[in-house]
Amino acid sequence: MPPRKSYTAAFKLEAVKYAKENGNRAAARNYTINESMVRSWRKQEDQLRLTKKSKRANRGHKARWPALEDKVESWILEQRASLRGVSTTQIRLKAIAAAKELNIVDFQGGPSWCLRFMRRKQLSIRSRTTVCQTLPADFEEKLVNFRAYCIDKVADFNISPDSVINMDEVPLTFDMPLNRTVEKRGTKTISIKTTGHEKASFTCVLSCTASGFLLPPMLIFKRKTMPKENFPKGIIIKVNEKGWMDNEMMKSWVTECYVKRPGGFFHTRRALLVMDSMRAHITKEVKDVLETVNTTPAVIPGGMTKLLQPLDISVNRTFKMRMRSQWEEWMTSGEKSFTATGRLRRATLAEVATWVVDSAKSVPKSCVVNGFKKAEIFAYKEDAPMVESDSESEDDEPLINMDTRITPELAELFHSDTEDEDFDGFSDSED
């Protein structure tokens, strides 16, 4: 007996369409199938349209207790609507309770029933996704206004690309392991070796210019005293109890990092500093310090850094990738020291600082420039197209017209906007 053939849902729908136009018998001859199959498929047309086109059969047991499964499905949807997690164990327990309510005496609610139930209801086990930044309701208006504000200031003061700067804080940890790894199939326990400092955090302050120049990074470690180590050149080391940016750290960044931009030492040319609305960025003391270095601040509206901050758009991801490569190389090469209890010591602060310097230097200039072009806060010349880089692959978008102007009242908004909440530093458990 020849083996039975199976057909995809797309093939069946094609045969049904042909049968509607030419008849069942003609469709059977044209597709070399039995006429009874065509009649059966025409009855299943609505179901076939809801089926995946590449699926070859509509096999599977029908629900023995459809009312019970509908009740459990409704409960799952209610739980997920409230953003509660639902496990297969909870599903089985709920099903058993529902069976008692419906007076079903022969229901077991085992793992195999749960698997078939999830297939019938198009349910699957999913990983929790990262909560992304939510754009404000009026983000389109704010987007246009902020870009116009930046373009306006650049035109008014004739600001060069070297004097348009973006700064941002990047939280980092001493261990940067991958969450996934290659392993033999069937291995039950998947471990990745670290020094146990995945939550020990510090802050790296990055800043770049619209011309593609990266300013010296600044590291803020969570400690009370300055470390007595030999740090590499090209980096500024600071410490405080929270390991995060505050008013004093911001003023230190302006006087020690910001002034090292091209032409920034004598402050003869007006500059534009683009930054998010973190509270430490916009205090009166910080604004006064910025005025002494001939700088106009441009504060990104809350919740819109992923659209308007060049560092977030293209640079930070590339920088973190380089940092992880440095950490992985350190973990897999050279001899390591251990504590008295046999625990692997983490990298020294000087080694971490070296990683930061090397990672910052390895960020391509095109990556930085593309971030500013995507943010559209600086109008480049038309003969300078966006350069392709390993961190950018999206299509180019038009830049804001240089003739755009905004009112002084609207411009004042970009000096006083704040986030709803501020970051208060890393917790004590991260030490």
Side-chain angles (χ1 to χ4, degrees), residues 102-134:
L102 298 173
N103 297 320
I104 300 175
V105 295
D106 56 344
F107 178 76
Q108 299 295 325
S112 58
W113 168 85
C114 185
L115 177 62
R116 294 193 299 271
F117 160 75
M118 292 176 64
R119 286 178 178 174
R120 284 191 287 266
K121 298 298 184 180
Q122 302 295 312
L123 299 172
S124 62
I125 299 174
R126 305 291 303 276
S127 298
R128 179 181 179 181
T129 55
T130 304
V131 180
C132 298
Q133 186 183 59
T134 303

Side-chain angles (χ1 to χ4, degrees), residues 7 54 102 131 155 166 175 180 193 328 343 383 385:
Y7 303 93
S54 59
L102 298 173
V131 180
N166 175 221
D175 279 344
R180 298 180 181 181
K193 186 177 181 180
E328 290 175 346
R343 184 179 180 180
D383 59 350

Side-chain angles (χ1 to χ4, degrees), residues 402-414:
M402 281 289 290
D403 294 333
T404 306
R405 293 290 185 273
I406 59 177
T407 63
E409 293 78 10
L410 187 58
E412 184 62 26
L413 294 176
F414 300 116

Side-chain angles (χ1 to χ4, degrees), residues 73-84:
E73 182 188 19
S74 298
W75 174 79
I76 293 173
L77 297 178
E78 290 175 2
Q79 297 300 303
R80 290 305 302 135
S82 301
L83 301 182
R84 298 189 184 95

Side-chain angles (χ1 to χ4, degrees), residues 381-399:
K381 295 181 180 180
E382 294 182 359
D383 59 350
M386 182 174 292
V387 184
E388 294 295 333
S389 68
D390 58 351
S391 63
E392 291 292 308
S393 59
E394 299 179 12
D395 296 334
D396 296 354
E397 298 180 6
L399 297 175

